[in-house]
């Protein structure tokens, strides 16, 4: 396997790093509060970065999300690319791809996802009913990718549903989605398939979208952790105690080294899962492995970053606190480590995992 970025992936990553670095500043994040930064989202779309994901693949997206995570930029980049662009590209009908992909790429359509499955039922004419308590970036979305109780995937317009704001640990513009006979558009062409074929196609699409989301959000966690470690390194090198920088103390060095190694583990497992998907290889268990590292190691890293800032780490207005909030939110969103590990073990035991 080779995780070396292609020329296109490297160029997109560098452009993303420049845009995030210029616009996702402490002052702008403070001004945005718990909402998204519309100006930053506009800049990313005008630069063609969401649209580029169709060409640079999931590994390319992971590289871009690392740059977002470093700055904890408040935009629905991960959600719209995973649940929108990549999901429609891989599983949408030709008509859906032609109609939706250009709009998702230029940011006029923003998609988020209500996955894993919730208690959503489908009526005879495709009406959806049920409640999804928390959907990240719902307040920014024009469409939601919803999984029904049989793992069918449906696109729902937010204007047709009830969307109530919900505040999370991290500022993800989340909301509560209520469906009550809401019209939905089934992703793909399952209606042309019969019986068991339709069920298999639906399950495969659901598994792929969920694994893609786990991989992408693990990449986002790698960036969040890298930003936390970078802030801790800068702080401990400049903050002095008894006339010496904190970074000269062995305990500080060991704690920072552990955080660095955890961050690298998150990054490499996310890279592997993304690379395997791009290469057309089985990757479901690899995505679960990346999610486990992002959940378990991620919360260790952001705790260490806050701890290494000493009393300043407890300041809710300090930039490192955002990394702590994002790290804990991603830990919860990916599923706590024990849950992910249990799912991974079940796949391996039942011989359903990839090689």
């Amino acid at each position: 396997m080779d995780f070396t970025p292609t020329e296109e992936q490297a160029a997109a990553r560098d452009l993303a790093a420049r845009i995030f670095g210029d616009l996702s500043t402490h002052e702008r994040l403070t001004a945005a509060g718990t909402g998204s930064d519309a100006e930053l989202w506009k800049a990313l779309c005008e630069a063609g970065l969401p649209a580029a994901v169709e060409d640079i693949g999931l590994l390319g997206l992971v590289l871009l999300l690392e740059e977002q995570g470093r700055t904890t930029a408040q935009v629905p980049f991960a959600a719209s690319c995973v649940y929108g662009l990549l999901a429609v590209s891989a599983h949408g009908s030709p008509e859906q791809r032609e109609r939706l992909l250009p709009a998702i790429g230029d940011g006029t359509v923003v998609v988020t996802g209500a996955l894993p499955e919730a208690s959503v039922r489908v009526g005879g004419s495709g009406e959806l009913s049920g409640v999804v308590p928390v959907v990240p970036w719902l307040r920014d979305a024009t469409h939601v990718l919803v999984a029904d109780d049989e793992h069918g995937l449906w696109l729902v317009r937010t204007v047709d549903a009830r969307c109530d704001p919900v505040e999370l640990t991290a500022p993800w513009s989340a909301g509560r989605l209520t469906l009550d006979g809401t019209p939905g558009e089934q992703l793909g062409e399952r209606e042309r398939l019969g019986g068991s074929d339709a069920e298999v196609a639906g399950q495969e699409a659901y598994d792929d979208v969920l694994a893609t989301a786990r991989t992408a959000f693990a990449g986002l966690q790698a960036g969040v952790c890298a930003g936390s470690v970078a802030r801790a390194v800068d702080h401990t090198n400049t903050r002095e105690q008894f006339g010496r920088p904190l970074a000269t103390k062995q305990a500080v060095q060991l704690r920072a080294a552990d955080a660095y190694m955890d961050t690298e583990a998150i990054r490499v497992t996310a890279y592997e899962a993304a690379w395997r998907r791009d290469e057309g290889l089985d990757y479901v268990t690899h995505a679960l492995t990346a999610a486990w590292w992002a959940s378990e190691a991620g919360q260790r890293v952001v705790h260490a970053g806050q701890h290494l800032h000493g009393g300043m780490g407890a300041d809710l207005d300090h930039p490192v606190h955002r990394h702590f909030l994002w790290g804990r939110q991603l830990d919860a969103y990916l599923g706590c480590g024990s849950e992910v590990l249990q799912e991974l073990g079940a796949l391996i035991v039942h011989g359903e995992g990839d090689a």
Side-chain angles (χ1 to χ4, degrees):
M1 64 189 72
D2 184 5
F3 304 149
T4 304
T6 64
E7 184 177 341
E8 292 79 8
Q9 289 171 339
R13 177 196 59 198
D14 295 343
L15 177 59
R18 186 160 64 250
I19 294 173
F20 284 127
D22 289 345
L23 294 182
S24 186
T25 62
H26 175 59
E27 293 73 22
R28 288 178 62 86
L29 289 169
T30 300
T34 62
S36 294
D37 188 331
E39 183 180 342
L40 173 56
W41 179 242
K42 181 180 179 181
L44 292 167
C45 294
E46 288 179 346
L49 288 174
V53 171
E54 192 173 0
D55 297 320
I56 63 177
L58 183 54
L59 180 56
L61 175 59
V62 167
L63 294 172
L64 302 184
L65 293 178
E66 277 193 84
E67 300 306 325
Q68 178 186 359
R70 290 180 201 276
T71 59
T72 59
Q74 294 171 198
V75 287
F77 194 23
S80 199
C81 287
V82 169
Y83 300 120
L85 193 139
L86 290 177
V88 173
S89 178
H91 305 291
S93 67
E95 187 277 331
Q96 287 172 332
R97 291 196 293 269
E98 182 179 359
R99 170 166 49 91
L100 293 171
L101 289 179
I104 298 171
D106 66 22
T108 54
V109 167
V110 177
V111 186
T112 189
L115 274 74
E117 75 277 6
S119 299
V120 174
R121 302 172 303 282
V122 184
S125 301
E127 304 91 356
L128 304 175
S129 299
V131 176
V132 185
V134 177
V135 180
W137 290 287
L138 181 63
R139 284 178 267 166
D140 298 331
T142 60
H143 293 71
V144 187
L145 185 66
V146 177
D148 63 36
D149 51 8
E150 295 184 355
H151 291 180
L153 297 177
W154 301 79
L155 281 169
V156 175
R157 299 193 310 164
T158 53
V159 294
D160 295 330
R162 178 178 173 180
C163 304
D164 299 309
V166 172
E167 296 299 335
L168 302 181
T169 304
W172 283 8
S173 295
R176 175 186 176 93
L177 179 68
T178 302
L179 306 172
D180 185 10
T182 305
E185 175 185 359
Q186 193 161 29
L187 190 66
E189 299 180 310
R190 287 181 61 194
E191 66 276 5
R192 296 186 182 182
L193 300 174
S196 61
D197 289 339
E199 292 180 6
V200 170
Q203 184 66 50
E204 289 178 349
Y206 173 84
D207 290 343
D208 177 61
V209 172
L210 182 57
T212 300
R214 283 168 164 161
T215 303
F217 282 95
L220 183 61
Q221 182 77 301
V224 170
C225 291
S228 178
V229 171
R231 291 189 182 280
V233 168
D234 179 70
H235 174 76
T236 56
N237 273 290
T238 56
R239 183 81 167 181
E240 292 189 356
Q241 188 178 67
F242 305 117
R244 298 174 61 194
L246 289 173
T248 61
K249 299 181 180 296
Q250 187 179 46
V252 171
Q253 294 172 2
L254 292 174
R255 190 77 187 275
D258 285 342
Y260 173 80
M261 293 303 297
D262 273 338
T263 301
E264 289 301 298
I266 300 169
R267 176 182 288 117
V268 73
T269 51
Y271 282 6
E272 181 180 13
W275 175 84
R276 290 182 67 89
R277 183 187 189 274
D278 291 343
E279 293 295 314
L281 302 172
D282 291 333
Y283 76 108
V284 172
T285 56
H286 296 79
L288 279 166
T289 301
W292 181 82
W293 275 104
S295 178
E296 283 285 293
Q299 58 91 11
R300 287 199 299 266
V301 172
V302 296
H303 274 270
Q306 197 167 32
H307 187 199
L308 288 172
H309 277 75
M312 294 178 64
D315 183 355
L316 301 184
D317 296 323
H318 195 283
V320 76
H321 190 64
R322 290 194 187 90
H323 293 271
F324 175 78
L325 295 179
W326 276 69
R328 292 311 307 260
Q329 187 64 50
L330 282 163
D331 169 26
Y333 187 63
L334 288 163
C336 73
S338 59
E339 293 177 346
V340 175
L341 199 60
Q342 183 178 16
E343 185 177 347
L344 176 60
L347 284 176
I348 295 173
V349 167
H350 293 94
E352 299 174 9
D354 37 75

